[in-house]
Amino acid sequence: MSVSAVAHAPVVLIATDVFGHTAAVDGLVRQLAQPALIVSPFDDSSRHFVSEQEAYQAFLAEGGIARFADKLAAAQLAHTASLRYAIGFSAGASALWVNSEHSMMSGLRQMVLFYGSRIREYRQLQPLCPVRLIFAEQEAAFAPAELVQDLQKRGHQAELLKGSKHGFMNVYSRGSCVKSQTRFGDELYHMMQDAGIADAA
């Protein structure tokens, strides 16, 4: 399991997509300005892929969502005392959602999950922490609008980002969108800053 080393107790857990631990993920961590624990599906943190398809096939060879969920659970359990946020992208979002009923989740203030397409197979889960679910409007394998409506009916904070494609938060994805990356990077930063202010009050 590729897990980044952190100098201080991590406040935020970042579950990567199938591209793993990239320079773009490091850039997000710098933007968030919080000690972060980055968890990739791959044991080799230096792996690079030329396409999403290549990355996805490598992800499946590593054991897919189930194994990634197990890796995330192990990493999170090791840092339960300090972790307050979790952010997941694509496969990482789906894997975090799979773990969302685990008791360790109850210590999180917020989990933000971007385009976790496999969430559609586990929509009955009831997370033990607040979760914001953000889906791309365009997906090849399913109808995101239907899933968002169903999740909303189940009481979840789910939303559809108009005009977006899967991977909009990843500069290496065909669906990359700089405007969305800027918007949500800012929102995530302020979410953590606002919580810090509230704690100090």
Side-chain angles (χ1 to χ4, degrees):
M1 171 176 54
S2 175
V3 179
S4 70
V6 286
H8 305 284
V11 173
V12 56
L13 168 68
I14 297 179
T16 76
D17 60 16
V18 295
F19 281 90
H21 188 163
T22 64
V25 175
D26 288 332
L28 175 63
V29 170
R30 288 192 295 271
Q31 183 178 4
L32 297 178
Q34 296 287 347
L37 178 67
I38 302 169
V39 184
S40 160
F42 306 109
D43 295 328
D44 181 1
S45 61
S46 64
R47 291 190 72 168
H48 298 286
F49 304 99
V50 298
S51 70
E52 231 155 336
Q53 186 60 29
E54 181 189 1
Y56 182 65
Q57 292 302 320
F59 173 71
L60 293 179
E62 288 286 330
I65 295 294
R67 185 157 183 258
F68 196 11
D70 288 343
K71 289 181 175 184
L72 284 164
Q76 190 171 346
L77 282 169
H79 298 279
T80 302
S82 63
L83 287 171
R84 292 296 174 263
Y85 303 96
I87 303 169
F89 302 96
S90 191
S94 295
L96 282 172
W97 179 262
V98 167
N99 290 344
S100 64
E101 291 185 324
H102 196 293
S103 59
M104 65 187 173
M105 292 292 183
S106 61
L108 295 180
R109 292 176 180 150
Q110 183 74 47
M111 189 156 63
V112 182
L113 306 180
F114 292 92
Y115 42 84
S117 55
R118 295 287 294 279
I119 289 173
R120 69 187 189 276
E121 299 170 11
Y122 303 92
R123 58 183 77 192
Q124 78 283 357
L125 297 182
Q126 291 297 324
L128 294 181
C129 66
V131 182
R132 182 183 181 190
L133 300 159
I134 305 165
F135 291 93
E137 185 175 37
Q138 301 173 38
E139 288 278 2
F142 70 103
E146 179 277 327
L147 176 60
V148 167
Q149 289 177 354
D150 185 46
L151 290 168
Q152 288 173 344
K153 289 177 182 176
R154 295 169 186 266
H156 301 300
Q157 184 184 355
E159 59 197 271
L160 197 68
L161 184 62
K162 293 293 184 182
S164 63
K165 299 178 181 179
H166 187 99
F168 60 80
M169 289 294 289
N170 187 345
V171 298
Y172 307 105
S173 170
R174 287 174 296 177
S176 176
C177 175
V178 173
K179 182 179 179 181
S180 297
Q181 291 156 19
T182 301
R183 171 195 163 182
F184 288 110
D186 289 344
E187 288 186 14
L188 292 169
Y189 170 79
H190 287 296
M191 173 185 74
M192 296 180 192
Q193 294 301 307
D194 291 346
I197 292 170
D199 287 345

